C-alpha cells in the first residue's frame, strides 16, 4: 500500500488560487445559514398552527390558508439552503408573506377571535423580521463579493 502520510504544504499546488476562489465562492453566500432553520420552523409552525390552536372548526377557511402559506415559507427556507445564491433574492417574498399573514385573519377568516389574530400576527411579524434579516445579509454579501479585492 502506498505511503500517503507525507503531506506537503498546499501553497505549492498549481491550482491553489483557483481552489481558494472556489472555496470563497461556495462559502460566500452562507452568511445567512443561521436563518434558514428558523424560517423553516416558522413555516412548519404556520402549517400546523390550525391544529395546534384548534381553530379548525371556528375558522375553517384559515385552515388550508395557513397550511399553504406555511408550506410556502418552508419551501422558501429549503430553497435558501439548497441554492443560496439564487434564492436570497426571494427574501423579500418572505416579508410579503409575513405582511399577508398579519392581515389574512380579517380577509380570509370570518370574525376571527383573539387567538387566531395573535397567532397570525406573530407568525407574520416573525416572517417579516426574518425576511428583512435575510435580505439585508444577502445584500451585504452581494456588495462584499462585488467589491474587487
Amino acid at each position: 500500500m502506498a505511503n500517503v502520510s507525507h503531506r506537503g504544504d498546499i501553497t505549492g499546488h498549481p491550482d491553489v488560487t483557483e481552489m481558494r476562489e472556489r472555496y470563497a465562492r461556495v462559502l460566500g453566500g452562507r452568511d445567512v445559514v443561521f436563518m434558514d432553520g428558523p424560517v423553516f420552523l416558522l413555516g412548519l409552525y404556520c402549517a400546523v398552527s390550525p391544529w395546534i390552536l384548534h381553530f379548525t372548526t371556528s375558522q375553517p377557511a384559515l385552515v388550508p390558508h395557513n397550511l399553504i402559506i406555511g408550506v410556502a415559507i418552508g419551501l422558501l427556507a429549503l430553497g435558501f439552503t439548497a441554492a443560496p445564491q439564487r434564492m436570497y433574492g426571494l427574501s423579500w417574498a418572505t416579508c410579503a408573506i409575513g405582511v399577508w399573514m398579519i392581515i389574512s385573519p380579517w380577509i380570509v377568516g370570518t370574525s376571527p377571535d383573539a387567538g387566531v389574530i395573535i397567532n397570525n400576527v406573530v407568525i407574520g411579524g416573525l416572517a417579516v423580521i426574518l425576511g428583512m434579516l435575510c435580505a439585508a445579509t444577502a445584500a451585504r454579501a452581494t456588495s462584499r463579493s462585488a467589491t474587487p479585492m
Side-chain angles (χ1 to χ4, degrees), residues 133-149:
L133 287 172
C134 285
T137 307
R140 187 181 60 209
T142 303
S143 67
R144 185 179 33 201
S145 66
T147 58
M149 291 185 181

Side-chain angles (χ1 to χ4, degrees), residues 29-30 76 79-91 138 142:
R30 301 306 303 151
L76 278 172
F80 295 159
T81 302
Q85 304 294 359
R86 294 180 178 176
M87 291 293 293
Y88 279 125
L90 289 175
S91 299
T142 303

